[in-house]
Amino acid sequence: MPVDIDIAHVARLARLELTPEEMETYRSQLGVILEHAARVQALEGEPEVGSVHGLGIEGVFRDDEVAASLDRDEVLAAAPESRDGFFVVPPALEQ
Amino acid sequence: MSIPDTIAAASRALREGSLTAADLLDGVLERAQMTEAQLHAYLNIDHDGARVAAEAADADLAAGNDRGPLHGIPIALKDNLCTRGMETTCASQILAGWIPPYDATVVSRLREAGAVIVGKTNLDEFAMGSSTENSAYGPSFNPWDITRVPGGSSGGSAAAVAAGSALGALGSDTGGSIRQPAALTGTVGVKPTYGTVSRYGLIAFASSLDQIGPITRTVEDAALLLEAIWGHDPKDSTSYAGEYPQVRRSLDAGVDGLRIGVVKELSGEGYELAVEQAVAAMVEGLARQGAEIVEVSLPSFEIALSAYYLIAPAEASSNLARFDGVRYGLRVDGETTEEMMARTRGQGFGPEVTRRILLGTYALSAGYYDAFYGQAQRVRAAIRADLARVYAQVDALVSPTSPTVAFPAGARLDDPLAMYLSDICTIPSNLAGDPAMSVPIGLDQLGLPIGMQVMAPSLGEEVMFRVAAEVERLAGFDARPEIPVVAG
Amino acid sequence: MSWEAVIGIETHVELSTRSKMFCGCAVDFGAEPNTNICPVCLGLPGALPVPNRKAIEGIVAIGLALNCEITERSVFHRKNYFYADLPKNYQVSQFDVPVCRDGYLEIELDGETRRIGIERAHMEEDTGKSTHVGDGGRIHSASETLLDFNRSGVPLVEIVSRPDIRSAAEARAYAQELRAIVAELGVSDARLEEGSIRFDANISIRPAGSDTLGTKVEIKNMNSFRSLERAVDYEIRRQIAAVEAGQQIVQETRHWNEEAGETQSMRTKEGSSDYRYFADPDLVPLVVPPSWVEEIRASLPELPEARRKRYATLGLHPKAAAMLSSSARTIRHLFDETVAAGAPALAAFNWLTGEVTAWMRRTDTEPAELTGERLAALIALVDEGVVSATAAKEVLEGVLAGEGEPRQVAEARDLVQVSDRGALEGAVRRVLDADPDAVERLRSGEEKVIGFLVGQVMRETGGKADPRLVNELIREAVGSDG
Ligand SMILES: [Mg+2]
Ligand SMILES: [Zn+2]
């Protein structure tokens, strides 16, 4: 049975503004995909979940050395809006 | 002009002085000129930059400064690799016009090796797809039949190499995105061991699965390109710092005495007859060359696809959160930051990307994490355990690369699950972090290429290339696509 | 009914490493906006993090100072939420396996020691800085927000206390003690005003003696120890009043408004706190082997708690020990030297926290000419009666001014007391002869007159007489044996 999901809630978490029609399409598609994905629940036994990486690499660090930063003008030139060395966005409501 | 169509041959010709890097560039650009209208392999060809690089390569070589096998060789890059000063879009509206201020590590390495970067190739948006139809800039098509898809998501890179508009290309492989298009276009595609090729500058899809690798015409070319790009990179924490396999050295070793496993789970329902027959014939061939063939079973492979379609979207939902209209790329305005971000993302991402972000967000969200994402990680561990058990008995595994040959454009666009099933053979290697590659083994009755997948345990590239080279010799695959010339 | 407050404090400490947590950009707060940024800390597509070794040493030092267990193999997680000053829209942090666990911190309050549990301390990265501009610059009516990412990716240690704190005063003592420790370790500037150490409080109330937990409210934006204490105190009273009026406490985040002197509800969107934590696949397990922990342990300075205990064993009152422990490094250093040179701890304490500290404040200079040996010598001069307590202050001034050893200064400034009987007998005689009435009253047992007579002799000798000897000579002359 397709999995039923609260698509509006998920879209809000993912910061995606969708039309009601889009919501409905994704809701039904995701239901079918998740029904298939739920097959992972058939796994028997409890294998030890280690690092997600196969080679067992761990404990990697860098020395505390300062490296060159990017050129501010080049970075700000790629920004949708900037002024006086700052990136500019519409007002934020929450914190 | 007519140029050699392999890196190895071009490299020899350059040193014999029978042609120059500039000639090679002319040759691939001429091919692109003839084929791009039909294939749309490239999003962007860097005519000027490539010309400068080719001339510099010639001057360098003339001055006796030989940078090795890639010196002067025209290479194409999947457009999810950051190139300093050259637009990088991931085939998404949300990154339209973005010019990275830095080069990916693989790009720096190619430049240092003297390669000539021809341009950026098309892909499924953010590498999410198996057909290169999910590009915001229009689909790519298969050189063997321009009504069919080239596979994906590295479809542009595969199509360019198959069409001869590059001598080699880089792709990225998260669930088969190098191997499946290689199989569908009659090229060689390699997904190396996770951690051997730096991901620095690869725009992430799913960080624990993504690996960059070569797409070439031949197994030898793949080895040359792989050796140029891999190696430890301190900028990538997951980069392997130990000793690397010697792949070029193992190309002629043959398969005599090797034990090769045939994966039982990667056959049967959903696999095309021509594909199964070609693979079976090749397995017999390997046996004749002295390989011991063992049928093996990996039960966890049955649920690998399900695990993949939870893990990859979960990581993607987080990796793609940075595209928010604040610092770069598209912005769709709003009254508040929140509204601006939601609109930018709602309009900037295409349907497949949106679908996967939603899927991954759901799989990680409160109340569903354990049943979905957490359980998928346990499946991943089970796959590793299954593979460890099997690799105690065999040196390498073989299977079809894709259950089917290239499918018609549009055929799976409205059925995401059917599209996802294209990756059923390739996904386990990504989940395990193991190397795998696809080698062309023939054409079906419609003249469409069939690929065989060779898998090996992590850092087992020597044995993998040994088997692949033997497969290539046995297949004797030297067919080339005939691309209809469109008037105009 | 009587109520009890249950308070836990979350502290964020910015480490003062040279470079950021996951990239080589400089940690430099005075810099022009957006000048210390790179692909990693700006969240550019394709960039990858590599952890700073020095930051790990910093958190381990903090963990050890807080008596925590150090986890050998911990994990970086992503905390996912959208905010304009968070470049990747996730923060690299730690979730179920932090570097430090199960420690404690001892605080002193009114001479009593209380142990506050430390649940965990974990490593994370800071965000960029938002400035809301427009009408009045206030969040709710801002017309736009300016973003500076220089701070983005600065290493941050989050320290989470157990809900063991019971009052606003304890909350303040905990915060002050924690700040002192972090400052002593030298791993952070630990300045509240600059935000390099930040405190949030979680507060709930319950009937006194109960062990249930009430609905907790988180308080943010407290920029000084005083505002922390005021905010906690206000919030406890607000909750009690609300509950007694039959209202429910709402789980929420409240903002301390310093001018209004109250906590105020902040507007947050429903459903925004599902952080979808998962192990960051760009990072490998964070491994701190025992040998590294021991190296860091060996390099730790003496911490406030140990220091207070040591001062107390020298005979200082717990309050004096606490006061000295939190005074300037120079003062503490001189104290140790002075005691080592043989001076009694109390005298050393009094001089250093009194006259010397006052001089430092007045002149705004370090007491470069003062050594423990010199201060011990001065204390001995007073003890032996060579200089009077009053004159000793002048001797100290001279020493601080670079006039040499205390005895030299006393001699040069003519401050040595006259302790020669013969030299003083004449002065005593003159004073007694001039006031027979006083002599008579002393004889008849009116003890307080002795003080007056000693004072007269001191005046006669220009303050140089040894008062004890003068006392003795007067009694001899009058025939009173006091
Ligand atoms: Mg935190
Ligand atoms: Zn940086």
Side-chain angles (χ1 to χ4, degrees), chain A residues 9 12-15 51-53 57-70 72 75-76 81 83-95, chain C residues 18-20 23-25 33-37 39 42 50-54 56 73 82-83 139 142-147 149 267 269 271 276 281 283-286:
Chain A
H9 172 69
R12 203 161 45 235
L13 276 180
R15 278 283 194 286
S51 162
V52 297
H53 308 106
I57 297 168
E58 54 182 31
V60 175
F61 304 104
R62 41 174 279 276
D63 291 335
D64 184 25
E65 279 160 12
V66 174
S69 290
L70 290 170
R72 180 169 75 179
V75 172
L76 292 179
E81 194 184 342
R83 182 157 32 80
D84 302 332
F86 293 95
F87 294 86
V88 180
V89 290
L93 278 188
E94 38 177 305
Q95 205 171 3
Chain C
R18 279 198 285 264
S19 65
K20 293 184 181 179
C23 64
C25 291
N34 293 308
T35 48
N36 295 319
I37 53 171
L42 200 58
V50 185
N52 185 336
R53 190 190 312 276
K54 190 83 185 166
I56 305 305
R73 192 171 272 94
F82 284 86
Y83 201 74
I139 292 175
S143 62
E144 63 184 16
T145 298
L146 305 180
L147 298 165
F149 292 98
R267 189 183 143 188
K269 259 188 203 160
R276 290 159 283 136
L283 289 159
V284 296
L286 165 51

Side-chain angles (χ1 to χ4, degrees), chain B residues 240-387:
Chain B
Y240 175 61
E243 196 124 350
Y244 279 67
Q246 298 287 320
V247 290
R248 256 195 290 173
R249 222 169 50 189
S250 43
L251 295 177
D252 298 322
V255 294
D256 191 11
L258 286 184
R259 284 169 305 173
I260 296 175
V262 179
V263 183
K264 183 176 141 250
E265 282 76 12
L266 302 181
S267 65
E269 200 197 328
Y271 288 77
E272 287 178 355
L273 185 60
V275 172
E276 297 225 274
Q277 284 175 337
V279 169
M282 182 51 70
V283 167
E284 277 173 35
L286 290 170
R288 277 197 302 277
Q289 296 304 312
E292 184 191 330
I293 305 297
V294 187
E295 185 178 276
V296 297
S297 172
L298 295 113
S300 60
F301 276 29
E302 304 271 20
I303 44 174
L305 186 75
S306 296
Y308 175 84
Y309 276 98
L310 292 167
I311 292 171
E315 292 183 13
S317 72
S318 177
N319 283 332
L320 271 62
R322 69 187 63 197
F323 302 100
D324 61 2
V326 174
R327 284 146 292 121
Y328 43 78
L330 178 75
R331 173 182 294 186
V332 180
D333 250 313
E335 289 297 306
T336 63
T337 299
E338 295 72 35
E339 195 174 87
M340 180 277 285
M341 285 183 179
R343 284 186 183 163
T344 299
R345 294 166 57 77
Q347 294 177 37
F349 292 131
E352 183 60 28
V353 173
T354 303
R355 196 151 41 229
R356 295 205 197 183
I357 290 174
L358 291 168
L359 185 56
T361 303
Y362 174 84
L364 288 173
S365 65
Y368 305 102
Y369 179 97
D370 289 333
F372 288 100
Y373 182 78
Q375 189 61 18
Q377 292 294 1
R378 281 187 284 277
V379 171
R380 185 171 194 170
I383 289 166
R384 289 205 177 124
D386 257 6
L387 280 164

Side-chain angles (χ1 to χ4, degrees), chain C residues 153-172:
Chain C
V154 168
L156 210 54
V157 174
E158 180 174 334
I159 302 157
V160 182
S161 87
R162 293 196 185 281
D164 293 346
I165 298 166
R166 292 288 170 268
S167 69
E170 278 185 20
R172 179 182 185 148

Side-chain angles (χ1 to χ4, degrees), chain B residues 125-478:
Chain B
E125 184 179 359
F126 283 101
M128 296 177 188
S130 309
S131 67
T132 316
E133 292 169 291
N134 298 327
S135 166
Y137 306 102
S140 296
F141 294 96
N142 195 315
W144 297 83
D145 178 348
I146 61 167
T147 69
R148 290 174 186 261
V149 302
S153 65
S154 310
S157 284
V161 172
S165 54
L167 289 190
L170 294 188
S172 66
D173 190 314
T174 308
S177 279
I178 288 174
R179 291 161 286 161
Q180 185 258 13
L184 270 47
T185 58
T187 53
V188 175
V190 181
K191 185 206 86 82
T193 302
Y194 184 89
T196 58
V197 180
S198 169
R199 291 181 298 114
Y200 191 79
L202 165 67
I203 302 179
F205 161 11
S207 311
S208 76
L209 301 162
D210 297 342
Q211 270 298 277
I212 300 165
I215 296 175
T216 55
R217 271 202 192 286
T218 65
V219 172
E220 183 189 12
D221 282 4
L224 293 173
L225 195 43
L226 179 59
E227 288 189 344
I229 58 169
W230 73 359
H232 179 242
D233 179 13
K235 287 182 177 150
D236 177 353
S237 300
T238 62
S239 172
Y240 175 61
E243 196 124 350
Y244 279 67
Q246 298 287 320
V247 290
R248 256 195 290 173
R249 222 169 50 189
S250 43
L251 295 177
D252 298 322
V255 294
D256 191 11
L258 286 184
R259 284 169 305 173
I260 296 175
V262 179
V263 183
K264 183 176 141 250
E265 282 76 12
L266 302 181
S267 65
E269 200 197 328
Y271 288 77
E272 287 178 355
L273 185 60
V275 172
E276 297 225 274
Q277 284 175 337
V279 169
M282 182 51 70
V283 167
E284 277 173 35
L286 290 170
R288 277 197 302 277
Q289 296 304 312
E292 184 191 330
I293 305 297
V294 187
E295 185 178 276
V296 297
S297 172
L298 295 113
S300 60
F301 276 29
E302 304 271 20
I303 44 174
L305 186 75
S306 296
Y308 175 84
Y309 276 98
L310 292 167
I311 292 171
E315 292 183 13
S317 72
S318 177
N319 283 332
L320 271 62
R322 69 187 63 197
F323 302 100
D324 61 2
V326 174
R327 284 146 292 121
Y328 43 78
L330 178 75
R331 173 182 294 186
V332 180
D333 250 313
E335 289 297 306
T336 63
T337 299
E338 295 72 35
E339 195 174 87
M340 180 277 285
M341 285 183 179
R343 284 186 183 163
T344 299
R345 294 166 57 77
Q347 294 177 37
F349 292 131
E352 183 60 28
V353 173
T354 303
R355 196 151 41 229
R356 295 205 197 183
I357 290 174
L358 291 168
L359 185 56
T361 303
Y362 174 84
L364 288 173
S365 65
Y368 305 102
Y369 179 97
D370 289 333
F372 288 100
Y373 182 78
Q375 189 61 18
Q377 292 294 1
R378 281 187 284 277
V379 171
R380 185 171 194 170
I383 289 166
R384 289 205 177 124
D386 257 6
L387 280 164
R389 178 178 51 76
V390 164
Y391 282 128
Q393 307 161 42
V394 300
D395 301 298
L397 297 171
V398 293
S399 76
T401 305
S402 161
T404 70
V405 294
F407 45 91
R412 298 182 189 174
L413 261 186
D414 296 324
D415 186 352
L417 200 54
M419 187 70 93
Y420 296 173
L421 284 164
S422 312
D423 297 331
I424 194 139
C425 304
T426 45
I427 276 169
S429 304
N430 297 85
L431 289 171
D434 290 345
M437 66 193 286
S438 181
V439 185
I441 54 172
L443 301 174
D444 76 350
Q445 66 285 2
L446 294 172
L448 297 168
I450 296 166
M452 179 190 248
Q453 178 174 232
V454 184
M455 296 168 266
S458 282
L459 299 174
E461 272 86 351
E462 287 179 11
V463 72
M464 180 176 82
F465 270 86
R466 260 175 86 179
V467 176
E470 190 63 60
V471 168
E472 184 180 52
R473 274 190 293 275
L474 289 167
F477 185 85
D478 57 4

Side-chain angles (χ1 to χ4, degrees), chain C residues 143-442:
Chain C
S143 62
E144 63 184 16
T145 298
L146 305 180
L147 298 165
D148 169 15
F149 292 98
N150 282 349
R151 205 181 66 183
S152 162
V154 168
L156 210 54
V157 174
E158 180 174 334
I159 302 157
V160 182
S161 87
R162 293 196 185 281
D164 293 346
I165 298 166
R166 292 288 170 268
S167 69
E170 278 185 20
R172 179 182 185 148
Y174 170 84
Q176 284 178 322
E177 181 68 10
L178 188 50
R179 198 211 76 92
I181 288 172
V182 168
E184 190 69 41
L185 291 171
V187 296
S188 170
D189 296 338
R191 294 205 185 112
L192 269 79
E193 330 72 75
E194 289 168 21
S196 52
I197 185 164
R198 315 192 272 269
F199 300 97
D200 301 332
N202 287 302
I203 302 170
S204 64
I205 56 161
R206 65 185 176 194
S210 149
D211 53 9
T212 57
L213 285 175
T215 305
K216 71 177 179 186
V217 171
E218 186 178 16
I219 313 295
K220 288 183 176 292
N221 193 44
M222 298 162 294
N223 301 321
S224 68
F225 293 121
R226 184 165 172 270
S227 64
L228 172 78
E229 188 171 1
R230 285 179 70 203
V232 172
D233 185 58
Y234 175 88
E235 180 61 20
I236 294 170
R237 286 188 286 108
R238 183 189 75 84
Q239 290 187 18
I240 292 172
V243 171
E244 286 183 343
Q247 293 159 4
Q248 289 273 337
I249 301 296
V250 186
Q251 178 157 359
E252 61 176 344
T253 298
R254 295 175 72 87
H255 195 86
W256 170 246
N257 183 322
E258 183 75 43
E259 293 80 53
E262 59 185 35
T263 62
Q264 296 166 343
S265 189
M266 289 167 77
R267 189 183 143 188
T268 48
K269 259 188 203 160
E270 170 256 330
S272 62
S273 60
D274 183 349
Y275 293 125
R276 290 159 283 136
Y277 280 101
F278 72 106
D280 190 336
D282 283 333
L283 289 159
V284 296
L286 165 51
V287 177
V288 186
S291 56
W292 195 13
V293 174
E294 289 319 307
E295 239 173 75
I296 296 166
R297 193 193 302 277
S299 70
L300 295 183
E302 184 184 38
L303 295 169
E305 185 195 338
R307 201 154 59 211
R308 279 196 304 272
K309 287 187 174 150
R310 185 167 60 81
Y311 292 156
T313 64
L314 291 173
L316 292 189
H317 184 275
K319 271 194 174 166
M323 182 184 166
L324 179 60
S325 178
S326 58
S327 51
R329 187 183 301 266
T330 318
I331 294 297
R332 294 190 331 248
H333 185 71
L334 278 169
F335 175 83
D336 291 342
E337 273 190 2
T338 308
V339 171
L346 186 59
F349 169 81
N350 284 334
W351 278 107
L352 286 163
T353 57
E355 291 303 310
V356 177
T357 299
W359 180 88
M360 284 170 70
R361 245 179 241 144
R362 198 167 63 240
T363 59
D364 199 23
T365 39
E366 286 290 294
E369 292 293 331
L370 186 63
T371 61
E373 297 257 327
R374 283 179 174 175
L375 184 55
L378 178 60
I379 290 168
L381 289 181
V382 177
D383 250 20
E384 291 156 12
V386 178
V387 295
S388 70
T390 321
K393 291 179 185 174
E394 212 186 315
V395 175
L396 177 70
E397 288 280 342
V399 171
L400 288 165
E403 295 167 20
E405 297 299 323
R407 184 171 282 278
Q408 280 176 294
V409 175
E411 281 163 6
R413 293 194 174 202
D414 197 17
L415 294 170
V416 176
Q417 294 189 131
V418 182
S419 13
D420 176 349
R421 297 180 78 93
L424 288 178
E425 270 164 359
V428 169
R429 189 77 273 148
R430 279 195 298 280
V431 167
L432 296 184
D433 287 352
D435 197 346
D437 180 44
V439 172
E440 202 44 51
R441 279 157 58 202
L442 180 61

